[in-house]
Amino acid sequence: MKIALIDSGIGLLAAAAAVRRLRPDADLILSSDPDGMPWGPRSAPDLQHRVLVTAQAAAAHRPDAMILACNTATVHTLRAVKAALEPAIPVVGTVPAVKTAAATGGPIAIWATPATTGSSYQAALIRQHAPGVQVTEISCPGLADAVQHAELSAILAAVADASRRTPDGTTDVVLGCTRYELVASHIRTALRRPSLVTPVLRGSADSVAAQAVRRLTGRPGAVTTGRGRLTVLLSGRESQLPAAAIAYRAGQHITASFAA
C-alpha cells in the first residue's frame, strides 16, 4: 500500500503519523510546497495551480490513495484534484471536525486561520453541522506560520492569545488547521484554567487516515508489520523532511519508524 499526503507545509505530519500507526507497512509520499506556501492568501486559480502541481508530483510515484491534508486545499481544490486523478487514485479531503464536536451539544469553539475564520465555507459547516449549538469562531493569527517554522515562543504566544478568547463553558475545540494538531499539547495546557473545564480537542488526522485506508481495504485499519518506504517531495524535488518536522511528536514518530 502506498499513500500520498499533500499540504503546503508540515501540516501533513499529523495525518501521516496517523496513517503510519494504522499501516506501518505502507509506503508514504509526503508532498509539500515550500516554494509556494502559504497557500491561504493566494487567489483561487493560483491556489488550484499550486495544489495540482504538488499533487501531480506525488501522483508520479503511483500512490494507491491521496490525502489532501490541508483544509484550505480541500475547500478550494478538492473537486479539481479529484477530476485530475480519480478514479486511478482515490482522493480524500480534510474537513474540520465541526460535526463531531457539535454532536456533544456544545458550546464549541473553532480555532482557525484568519482566512478561514468567518469564511463562507466555515459558516456553511456551522449551519450544516451545528444548528442550535453555540459556536465561537477563534481566529489564530500567526499560529500556522509559527508551527511551520517551529518557533516555540511565537507558538506559545499565539496559543495563549486564542485560549484567552475561548469562552468559559466551551466543551470542544475544533482544530481548523492541520498544523494546529502538531501543537495540541500546548493548546491543552493553555486551555487549563480554573474557570474552564479543559475542552476536548477535535482534529481531523485520525479520521482522514482511517478513511484513506478504508478506501483501499474496506476496513478502517489493519494492524500489519513491515517498515514501508518514505518519500519526501519539496515542491516536486525529492528531499528529506524539513528540520522543523523533528520538533513535533508526529515528525519524530515518522522519522524513527522509517529509520528502524
Side-chain angles (χ1 to χ4, degrees), residues 6 28 32 38 48 62 86-88 102 112 127 146 157 185 208 212 243 248:
I6 310 301
L28 295 187
S32 60
Q48 180 170 299
R62 296 180 170 276
E86 290 188 337
R127 286 196 305 271
S185 61
V208 297
Y248 304 108

Side-chain angles (χ1 to χ4, degrees), residues 8-9 20 22 27 30 39 54 100 110 145 154 190 194 203 213 240 244:
S8 63
R20 190 69 176 152
L22 288 174
D27 295 345
L30 309 185
W39 282 345
T54 305
T100 303
I110 305 173
D145 286 342
V213 172
Q240 304 293 321

Side-chain angles (χ1 to χ4, degrees), residues 151-227:
E151 297 172 344
L152 182 58
S153 60
I155 291 168
L156 294 178
V159 166
D161 174 62
S163 174
R164 284 191 292 270
R165 290 182 285 113
T166 301
D168 292 348
T170 298
T171 61
D172 298 74
V173 170
V174 177
L175 303 181
C177 172
T178 54
R179 292 181 198 173
Y180 297 174
E181 295 189 54
L182 299 177
V183 293
S185 61
H186 294 308
I187 294 173
R188 288 192 189 92
T189 298
L191 288 170
R192 291 191 187 112
R193 60 180 191 253
S195 58
L196 178 66
V197 176
T198 304
V200 175
L201 301 186
R202 304 287 185 181
S204 305
D206 289 338
S207 61
V208 297
Q211 184 179 353
V213 172
R214 189 183 301 113
R215 290 282 296 271
L216 297 177
T217 66
R219 298 179 303 230
V223 178
T224 57
T225 59
R227 289 179 54 186

Side-chain angles (χ1 to χ4, degrees), residues 48 52 56 68 73-74 76-86:
Q48 180 170 299
L52 281 171
Q56 287 163 346
L68 288 188
T74 298
H76 297 288
T77 72
L78 179 60
R79 184 176 299 177
V81 176
K82 282 177 172 284
L85 300 180
E86 290 188 337

Side-chain angles (χ1 to χ4, degrees), residues 17-45:
V19 172
R20 190 69 176 152
R21 288 190 292 270
L22 288 174
R23 291 297 301 249
D25 62 319
D27 295 345
L28 295 187
I29 304 161
L30 309 185
S31 184
S32 60
D33 185 28
D35 293 355
M37 69 178 182
W39 282 345
R42 292 182 175 275
S43 67

Side-chain angles (χ1 to χ4, degrees), residues 1-5 15-17 19-20 23 26-30 228-232 254 258:
M1 181 184 293
K2 185 183 294 186
I3 296 178
L5 297 99
V19 172
R20 190 69 176 152
R23 291 297 301 249
D27 295 345
L28 295 187
I29 304 161
L30 309 185
R229 296 179 60 187
L230 175 66
T231 301
V232 176
I254 291 168
F258 280 105

Side-chain angles (χ1 to χ4, degrees), residues 44-124:
D46 191 23
L47 171 62
Q48 180 170 299
H49 170 72
R50 298 302 312 189
V51 175
L52 281 171
V53 168
T54 305
Q56 287 163 346
H61 291 257
R62 296 180 170 276
D64 300 304
M66 181 177 293
I67 295 172
L68 288 188
C70 172
N71 299 101
T72 298
T74 298
V75 172
H76 297 288
T77 72
L78 179 60
R79 184 176 299 177
V81 176
K82 282 177 172 284
L85 300 180
E86 290 188 337
I89 303 173
V91 180
V92 176
T94 300
V95 178
V98 175
K99 182 178 181 179
T100 303
T104 66
I108 70 173
I110 305 173
W111 287 27
T113 63
T116 299
T117 302
S119 66
S120 58
Y121 166 71
Q122 186 158 291

